[in-house]
Amino acid sequence: MYTEIAIDHITPFKIGHAQNAEAATGCTVILSEKGAVTGVDVRGGSPGTRETDLLKSENLVDQVHATFLSGGSAYGLDVGTGVMNYLEEHNIGFDVQVARVPIVPGAILFDLAIGDPSIRPNARMGYQACLNTTNAVKQQGNIGAGYGATVGKCLGSPNSMKAGLGTYAIEIGKLQIGAIIAVNSFGDIIDPTTNQVIAGVRDHEAGTFLYTEKQLLQQLDMSTNRFSGNTTIGTIITNAKATKANMNKIASIAHDGIARTMRPSHTLVDGDTLFAMTSNEVEVDINIVGMLAATVTEKAIINAIKHANSLFGIPSYQELYKK
């Protein structure tokens, strides 16, 4: 089968994080200084994205130099400016003759409901995350774009649980593929190996899950616009040889990992977005890459839950089940 590896063993990608503990927010950057063939698939109904149109298969640019994942709602899109500044300083970008323009798509999630909502990820934080790609730091839990992430919010923050950033990567032969996912879903998180809820809307006093889908069925005449503080975002990285059209399809297939682990998923109040980047080195059946993209996404989501720590009174899997 395959061997599990650390996400930062997939070269030449570099991963960095920055966060603000007081604000309970942060960002994550995935750098590809030599350029990576990249696709994207936006499935949620409330997305916040940057530079995703250029990733359409028919458009000119077929390589990007970084993707970023950020908290802070739409304010967090400013992270991309800091990433561009860093790359420009290193003379990295798309050559337009008079300058090199770094291509930096990204996506945001809503985490303003906990911590200090007046402090959001900005260009300075994005730049710092790039600097932090040289540091050996943990890659999961309360870090980067997952710092303020929560799940199971159909009854509001008091009944939610803490989530975070998760990673999972594998190697099979020369092929490497992994996922970096910030989990901030409206719905519950299901472990597909047991089909049990491991995080979600919860009666904390009774110590029981209330099940998001069940709650929604009891609220048929209520608008769900008030539950817009969600969105799961991530990036798949690999070394498989692929076209931009292939990578758009890989990003699409990777969403199966979200569907397997979140109930409900891809709602109108989630902005679920996945990027897929490749260094374009190893010949492999693209169907296998798609299958594995869904697998690493699924397992990264579970890791995001199991590595998160409680924050600002919002309990985590670690607190409730790892005592």
Side-chain angles (χ1 to χ4, degrees):
M1 290 293 289
Y2 53 73
T3 302
E4 184 178 350
I5 60 174
I7 192 74
D8 52 11
H9 286 181
I10 302 178
T11 57
F13 298 100
K14 298 178 180 179
I15 302 168
H17 314 278
Q19 54 274 322
N20 183 301
E22 176 186 354
T25 193
C27 66
T28 295
V29 173
I30 301 95
L31 297 181
S32 178
E33 296 173 348
K34 295 182 179 180
V37 179
T38 300
V40 67
D41 193 316
V42 181
R43 291 283 182 92
S46 300
T49 59
R50 166 188 162 129
E51 296 276 49
T52 51
D53 276 355
L54 66 79
L55 298 179
K56 290 180 179 179
S57 300
E58 68 270 22
N59 289 340
L60 174 64
V61 175
D62 65 353
Q63 290 191 335
V64 311
H65 306 99
T67 59
F68 71 88
L69 314 171
S70 179
S73 190
Y75 296 104
L77 292 173
D78 193 34
V79 164
T81 300
V83 180
M84 285 189 72
N85 291 342
Y86 174 89
L87 291 169
E88 183 181 30
E89 289 178 6
H90 290 77
N91 197 34
I92 296 168
F94 182 71
D95 188 358
V96 295
Q97 297 185 343
V98 295
R100 286 188 175 273
V101 180
I103 308 300
V104 184
I108 53 87
L109 56 80
F110 186 100
D111 58 3
L112 301 179
I114 64 174
D116 185 343
S118 69
I119 302 172
R120 307 107 178 193
N122 54 18
R124 181 179 300 177
M125 187 180 285
Y127 188 93
Q128 185 61 51
C130 293
L131 294 178
N132 290 344
T133 61
T134 60
N135 298 335
V137 297
K138 71 173 186 175
Q139 299 282 10
Q140 303 192 90
N142 292 17
I143 191 168
Y147 198 94
T150 54
V151 298
K153 288 166 278 190
C154 70
L155 297 180
S157 185
N159 295 91
S160 68
M161 282 183 63
K162 186 70 181 70
L165 188 84
T167 67
Y168 190 84
I170 59 177
E171 184 175 66
I172 178 168
K174 293 183 179 180
L175 174 67
Q176 295 178 320
I177 186 169
I180 307 105
I181 311 290
V183 178
N184 191 55
S185 65
F186 171 71
D188 303 325
I189 305 300
I190 312 295
D191 185 342
T193 63
T194 64
N195 204 35
Q196 298 297 309
V197 175
I198 60 171
V201 61
R202 196 169 181 276
D203 183 332
H204 295 307
E205 290 189 5
T208 57
F209 287 109
L210 299 174
Y211 304 102
T212 297
E213 292 180 331
K214 179 179 179 181
Q215 295 302 314
L216 290 179
L217 291 174
Q218 295 173 358
Q219 302 173 17
L220 289 176
D221 59 344
M222 297 174 64
S223 168
T224 55
N225 287 341
R226 66 190 187 281
F227 303 140
S228 58
N230 311 294
T231 297
T232 292
I233 51 179
T235 297
I236 312 302
I237 57 175
T238 183
N239 61 358
K241 273 206 172 199
T243 64
K244 184 164 72 165
N246 291 153
M247 295 312 290
N248 277 315
K249 187 61 175 177
I250 295 305
S252 175
I253 296 171
H255 274 276
D256 289 353
I258 289 180
R260 292 172 191 168
T261 53
M262 298 181 188
R263 295 183 189 167
S265 61
H266 305 124
T267 73
L268 288 174
V269 294
D270 285 290
D272 301 336
T273 299
L274 293 179
F275 298 96
M277 306 173 72
T278 182
S279 57
N280 206 27
E281 298 171 293
V282 177
E283 290 280 4
V284 65
D285 183 345
I286 206 70
N287 292 292
I288 295 173
V289 181
M291 177 184 70
L292 294 177
T295 297
V296 296
T297 298
E298 169 191 319
K299 291 184 179 296
I301 289 168
I302 299 302
N303 281 340
I305 297 302
K306 292 188 174 181
H307 286 81
N309 296 315
S310 303
L311 189 68
F312 292 133
I314 300 175
S316 64
Y317 177 93
Q318 289 268 359
E319 177 185 342
L320 297 176
Y321 302 108
K322 301 287 280 187
K323 294 178 181 179

